[in-house]
Amino acid sequence: MRIFICCLLALLALPAAAQLTETFADGNFTQNPAWTGDAAGFEINAQLQLQTNGPATTGTVQQLATASTAANGATWEFYANLKLATSSGNYADVWLLSEQADLKGAGNRGYFVRLGGTPDEVSLFRKDATGSPVYVVNGRDQSLSSTTNNLARVRVTRSLADGWTLEVDYTGTGQSYQLEGIGEDNTYLQSSYLGVIVTYSSSNNRSFLFDDFKVTDRQAPGLVRAMPTAARQLDVVFDEAVSETQAAGSYQLSGGPAIISATRDAQNQNVVHLTLAADLPTGANTLVIRTVADVFGNVLTGPFNLSFTNSGFAISPGVNQLLITEILADETPVIGLPASEYLEIYNPTANILNLGGIRLLKPGSNSNPAIFPATATLLPGEYAVVCGSTRAEQFAGTGKVFGVSNFPSLSNGGDQLVLRAPAGQTLFEIRYSDTWYKDAEKKEGGWALEMIDTANPCGGIENWTASTDPSGGTPGRANAVRTANTDSRPPALQRALALSATSVRLYFSEKLDSVAASNSALYTIAGNTITRVAAVSPDFRVVELTLGTALQPSQPVTMSVQRATDCVGNATGAAATATVALPSVAVSGDVVVNEILFNPRTGGYDFVELLNRSAKYINLQGWQIGNEKPDGSVDAASISSEAYVLAPGQLVALTERPDVVQAQYPTSSEPAAFLELADLPTFPDDAGIVTLYDRTGAPLERVPYSAKQHLAILDDVNGVSLERIRAAGSNEAGNFHSAAGSVGYATPGRRNSQLQEDPTGTKLFSLEPEVFTPDADGQQDFTTLNYTLDQTGYAASVTIYDAQGRPVRKLVRNQTLATSGFVQWDGLTDQGRKAGVGVYVLHIELFRPIGGDKREYKRTVVVGARF
């Protein structure tokens, strides 16, 4: 929102200055002014109107454009008649501001009036370089309801404060204008062209008529502010583009040094740079301005006095010198704050910050960034609210407010936000989550997240919490939760990853000092050289290295980091090392499902843990994990669009919300082993099938699961995962068991609580352990009958008897066996009850259908209990 100096009230009314008038009275559109584009698709008819005459082909798009630089403080008028029934395939766009002569260009930007379309309306839109057009003023639906004669004389006015007004006279006479709506948008401040573009079906190639184009600038330029930018440099900001030719004599400092030059900015034509003969005095100053014209010749005659204070000139912020310190992502229910999403920014430095051109954006989104206006500044220690341009008035009592176009929509559950300098440098980055509230009630809405210590800008969840202010937040002032919360931990090297034979990425536990991290002298790699180092934006948790010699597949080498410094200056002591290798091609069985949580606790999320049980380094990029449905179809999701390499024996836990899973299993999860998925398939709570596919779509893994596999003595299996017992074992139900209660019933990213190493030796049948305690504490919860057979073709039946010879459990019935494997007994009877403490006998019947060979064996096991 622009700030206007009170002296502007003294401006005299100026006559309207028409910048473009086109009535086609000369019978052509090729001169005075010249229109260019699809000239063959238009003609001047007998009534001296511009009429379409393009190919009679459905889907045809025709355009004409002419030069027009009016962008602010202007009025656009034109006549149109659409002699057809408007629809999604029959409409006209009249561009008021366009960057390109090619109105159809995908990257064109500006504003246009649409007549027709699906709503059969007249509306004002903004078009960005990417994405669909967005409404500035949404006109009334069905206002163009005729099937043969839709008259509309349109008038659009843009004030110097970026307020838009859309009026339409549906009689076409210009005597009966109706207000269609108002809006506010300051995204584009310059224009090069005006034009028309039509889309039609085959029968409507001659159904569009246009006339009486007129663009009028009614106002002389107004003053916005004077802003010192250096000891002898002063910028004057106007509310519209001024003429390129500037005279130093038009500007004078009362009682101050002489002004020796005045130059219009090459990019922002609203700004004039003044060069002074001596240093600008500190304190109060007055600039006298006279005879300054806009680009259309409207003159600010003056003299006008513009007062300003030189308390130091504004400088561009560096990294972490402009902070986001408060976030309201969920504005409902209203606790006491305005019902609007907002951010709070803060200047922690001793300098005035120039925010002009700084961009606020969400990385990865298709939306355009919000851009701070050229006049925006932030004083030392000052806070300001940032919100959507139409919401600024709601925060009028909070202090400084920046209402910006394209304010990003803030997701309630979490988002990534970045402040970026005009040249592209990342100034501040944050990836918040609703777990940062640390309060189940407040995260439901109406409360803001607040930074605890502004001297710890990279602290993440440890340095953010829900506001304690009774209103729900503290927009525009110091945070209610403000206190010292120093970060004293150095960053840790978590893993190294080979992106290619000559490119390696290092991943750290927190944000790094991007300059220090780019020092190549800090890194070594065994038997190789490093030719380039770059910290990866926007969060700088990753450093990318370019190697001089190519790595070989699955041949590990050691990577060393001598010193790593986080963004607040904490540095590691001893060197950190990591192993890295170029990945090899995976085959079925290399990577297996090691653990699955399909029935999470309330508020929890599913996860699937994968294990690389091969000797290879395997890249999961492009792989998919899926849920196979009963009809055979698969609901699949991408695991990673970027390289993610599993080393031999390495685990990775896949989930949509690592933060939630880690919070629910704080002592039995490994944060470094989590990989966040945007959309993990939903796995049914009763039974399902987990599938895994490589980047070519080839199936690698298929694991059926069921809630019946859980230990029957558990009263509640919600939040209990199924763990693989033996890494090298099969995917059969007998190789999975409920995670132990002693570890919280799940171990995402960590060694399975029920993991059992494969037995050694050549004994035909053996029990491990021979004494077990089935109490779900993770200590000998079950026993396994292990076998190694002398040949194939055997089947087996196993029955368990108690000490009195009574059958307790029919464990196996006529089951075909592999040459080696195991059978699990969880200590339960056939009735699902826990077997009593005592000695039990496993009666094993082994037979071969071919040949009739039959053998019998007995093994003894003890069911115990802990006291």
Side-chain angles (χ1 to χ4, degrees):
M1 181 173 291
R2 298 186 174 182
I3 303 170
F4 292 92
I5 310 303
C6 61
C7 64
L8 291 180
L9 298 175
L11 281 173
L12 298 176
L14 296 174
Q19 307 310 323
L20 182 146
T21 300
E22 174 65 282
T23 64
F24 305 106
D26 57 2
N28 69 75
F29 56 81
T30 58
Q31 56 186 349
N32 299 320
W35 297 69
T36 59
D38 300 317
F42 294 86
E43 66 178 13
I44 305 301
N45 63 21
Q47 289 74 40
L48 298 180
Q49 296 174 323
L50 182 67
Q51 184 172 359
T52 53
N53 188 28
T57 304
T58 297
T60 297
V61 180
Q62 300 279 277
Q63 66 166 352
L64 284 178
T66 188
S68 175
T69 57
N72 208 2
T75 299
W76 294 263
E77 299 173 80
F78 63 89
Y79 166 91
N81 188 359
L82 278 59
K83 303 177 78 64
L84 48 78
T86 63
S87 66
S88 60
N90 291 277
Y91 60 89
D93 292 341
V94 178
W95 282 73
L96 312 180
L97 282 75
S98 174
E99 286 187 348
Q100 303 175 18
D102 180 10
L103 307 178
K104 294 183 286 189
N108 193 28
R109 303 186 298 178
Y111 302 91
F112 64 83
V113 172
R114 174 161 293 176
L115 298 97
T118 302
D120 300 322
E121 65 185 10
V122 180
S123 293
L124 177 64
F125 286 88
R126 185 188 78 238
K127 172 64 171 65
D128 301 315
T130 59
S132 301
V134 295
Y135 281 109
V136 177
V137 177
N138 186 356
R140 294 177 295 110
D141 291 358
Q142 304 301 314
S143 58
L144 302 179
S145 57
S146 173
T147 59
T148 58
N149 194 48
N150 290 293
L151 291 169
R153 191 171 289 271
V154 179
R155 182 166 65 197
V156 178
T157 302
R158 183 183 190 179
S159 73
L160 293 172
D162 297 310
W164 294 82
T165 302
L166 173 63
E167 300 171 281
V168 182
D169 177 359
Y170 293 101
T171 70
T173 64
Q175 304 299 314
S176 304
Y177 278 107
Q178 301 177 36
L179 178 64
E180 287 292 328
I182 60 175
E184 185 175 328
D185 193 284
N186 65 351
T187 306
Y188 304 116
L189 301 175
Q190 299 185 44
S191 175
S192 296
Y193 297 93
L194 171 148
V196 299
I197 180 170
V198 297
T199 301
Y200 58 79
S201 55
S202 59
S203 61
N204 293 317
N205 64 316
R206 291 180 52 81
S207 299
F208 296 83
L209 292 87
F210 302 95
D211 204 353
D212 297 339
F213 288 90
K214 186 177 183 180
V215 182
T216 304
D217 185 334
R218 300 178 179 276
Q219 302 184 52
L223 302 173
V224 176
R225 69 186 306 167
M227 182 169 60
T229 58
R232 299 188 180 187
Q233 189 76 43
L234 181 66
D235 281 0
V236 183
V237 183
F238 295 88
D239 55 20
E240 63 174 316
V242 294
S243 63
E244 183 176 7
T245 302
Q246 293 289 314
S250 296
Y251 306 90
Q252 180 182 356
L253 276 167
S254 297
I259 295 171
I260 58 178
S261 70
T263 307
R264 188 183 73 176
D265 187 88
Q267 302 299 322
N268 188 343
Q269 298 178 5
N270 295 32
V271 177
V272 175
H273 304 298
L274 304 182
T275 302
L276 284 57
D279 289 355
L280 182 68
T282 57
N285 286 270
T286 300
L287 181 66
V288 182
I289 303 173
R290 54 172 62 83
T291 320
V292 176
D294 65 15
V295 292
F296 303 116
N298 299 309
V299 178
L300 173 67
T301 55
F304 293 104
N305 295 333
L306 181 56
S307 298
F308 66 96
T309 300
N310 178 23
S311 54
F313 52 85
I315 65 171
S316 297
V319 177
N320 291 327
Q321 291 182 341
L322 177 64
L323 310 179
I324 295 174
T325 53
E326 190 168 333
I327 302 168
L328 182 66
D330 188 355
E331 68 272 31
T332 56
V334 173
I335 304 300
L337 297 170
S340 174
E341 296 179 352
Y342 71 85
L343 302 176
E344 176 189 80
I345 58 174
Y346 172 65
N347 175 3
T349 76
N351 300 308
I352 302 172
L353 297 182
N354 177 13
L355 308 187
I358 288 176
R359 292 173 285 169
L360 167 66
L361 67 152
K362 294 201 303 185
S365 69
N366 293 324
S367 59
N368 288 290
I371 303 176
F372 287 83
T375 59
T377 60
L378 205 57
L379 299 177
E382 187 177 25
Y383 294 86
V385 171
V386 184
C387 60
S389 59
T390 60
R391 304 298 181 93
E393 291 184 3
Q394 298 183 40
F395 296 93
T398 63
K400 183 171 286 187
V401 179
F402 296 111
V404 294
S405 299
N406 298 325
F407 182 80
S409 175
L410 306 178
S411 298
N412 296 347
D415 246 328
Q416 185 180 26
L417 300 170
V418 173
L419 291 171
R420 190 164 285 166
Q425 179 189 24
T426 297
L427 303 176
F428 180 79
E429 180 272 346
I430 185 171
R431 188 190 292 270
Y432 70 89
S433 163
D434 60 10
T435 59
W436 290 19
Y437 286 95
K438 308 178 184 80
D439 186 305
E441 182 178 349
K442 289 183 177 180
K443 85 171 188 175
E444 293 304 314
W447 294 85
L449 283 171
E450 294 186 345
M451 182 183 284
I452 298 171
D453 187 352
T454 57
N456 180 14
C458 307
I461 188 172
E462 298 88 357
N463 197 41
W464 285 76
T465 193
S467 177
T468 57
D469 190 89
S471 69
T474 54
R477 53 193 172 93
N479 289 344
V481 301
R482 181 180 57 172
T483 190
N485 186 35
T486 305
D487 175 11
S488 58
R489 295 179 305 173
L493 175 61
Q494 294 179 321
R495 62 189 177 98
L497 169 67
L499 297 179
S500 69
T502 58
S503 181
V504 171
R505 279 192 169 184
L506 306 180
Y507 293 79
F508 291 85
S509 60
E510 58 179 313
K511 299 178 184 179
L512 303 178
D513 179 324
S514 58
V515 175
S518 299
N519 180 2
S520 61
L522 300 178
Y523 308 92
T524 57
I525 184 166
N528 213 317
T529 57
I530 297 171
T531 61
R532 179 180 175 272
V533 177
V536 180
S537 67
D539 61 357
F540 301 114
R541 294 174 184 263
V542 176
V543 176
E544 189 165 318
L545 311 177
T546 302
L547 309 182
T549 304
L551 299 173
Q552 298 303 309
S554 291
Q555 297 298 311
V557 294
T558 301
M559 184 79 238
S560 177
V561 183
Q562 301 302 320
R563 180 183 176 89
T565 305
D566 67 17
C567 75
V568 293
N570 298 313
T572 55
T577 60
T579 301
V580 65
L582 187 66
S584 298
V585 176
V587 297
S588 179
D590 284 346
V591 178
V592 295
V593 173
N594 195 55
E595 183 176 359
I596 175 172
L597 179 68
F598 51 87
N599 49 352
R601 301 170 186 166
T602 301
Y605 286 79
D606 292 357
F607 73 77
V608 176
E609 180 188 78
L610 303 180
L611 165 68
N612 179 4
R613 65 180 184 183
S614 75
K616 305 173 184 176
Y617 285 76
I618 296 175
N619 187 1
L620 303 185
Q621 184 176 20
W623 284 30
Q624 289 192 319
I625 187 165
N627 166 42
E628 184 177 317
K629 300 178 182 179
D631 63 2
S633 64
V634 177
D635 177 19
S638 174
I639 291 178
S640 179
S641 60
E642 300 179 347
Y644 193 96
V645 174
L646 283 184
Q650 186 178 348
L651 300 167
V652 60
L654 311 177
T655 182
E656 292 180 8
R657 292 295 298 272
D659 53 344
V660 174
V661 176
Q662 291 165 26
Q664 292 191 338
Y665 303 96
T667 61
S668 60
S669 61
E670 178 53 58
F674 277 78
L675 182 59
E676 181 177 349
L677 271 63
D679 187 20
L680 183 72
T682 299
F683 295 101
D685 289 354
D686 53 351
I689 300 173
V690 183
T691 56
L692 190 65
Y693 305 88
D694 68 14
R695 64 189 306 168
T696 69
L700 298 177
E701 177 82 328
R702 186 178 185 274
V703 181
Y705 70 85
S706 169
K708 295 179 180 179
Q709 293 174 244
H710 278 301
L711 188 62
I713 64 173
L714 294 175
D715 294 330
D716 183 4
V717 296
N718 290 317
V720 182
S721 70
L722 284 177
E723 295 181 328
R724 181 180 286 267
I725 297 172
R726 292 186 184 170
S730 70
N731 290 339
E732 295 178 353
N735 196 29
F736 286 83
H737 194 279
S738 301
S742 60
V743 297
Y745 294 108
T747 55
R750 289 193 179 180
R751 185 181 189 271
N752 285 353
S753 62
Q754 305 292 10
L755 178 66
Q756 189 179 83
E757 302 297 340
D758 290 337
T760 57
T762 59
K763 195 172 182 181
L764 190 64
F765 289 99
S766 63
L767 281 162
E768 179 63 35
E770 294 182 350
V771 179
F772 73 107
T773 54
D775 53 11
D777 67 351
Q779 302 295 318
Q780 299 175 331
D781 284 337
F782 56 90
T783 189
T784 53
L785 176 66
N786 306 293
Y787 60 86
T788 302
L789 305 179
D790 56 358
Q791 56 183 312
T792 62
Y794 281 107
S797 293
V798 180
T799 305
I800 302 173
Y801 295 87
D802 63 14
Q804 286 72 43
R806 294 172 298 194
V808 173
R809 179 79 176 269
K810 296 178 181 178
L811 195 63
V812 175
R813 274 291 169 267
N814 299 324
Q815 180 177 313
T816 302
L817 301 182
T819 54
S820 64
F822 71 95
V823 178
Q824 175 199 151
W825 184 36
D826 55 12
L828 300 183
T829 68
D830 282 334
Q831 289 74 39
R833 302 187 185 95
K834 183 178 176 181
V837 174
V839 177
Y840 292 82
V841 176
L842 276 72
H843 180 241
I844 307 160
E845 298 176 279
L846 192 65
F847 59 94
R848 296 185 77 237
I850 300 176
D853 184 16
K854 183 176 181 180
R855 308 177 193 178
E856 293 188 35
Y857 303 87
K858 292 182 181 179
R859 293 291 182 270
T860 302
V861 69
V862 176
V863 174
R866 299 186 186 278
F867 299 96

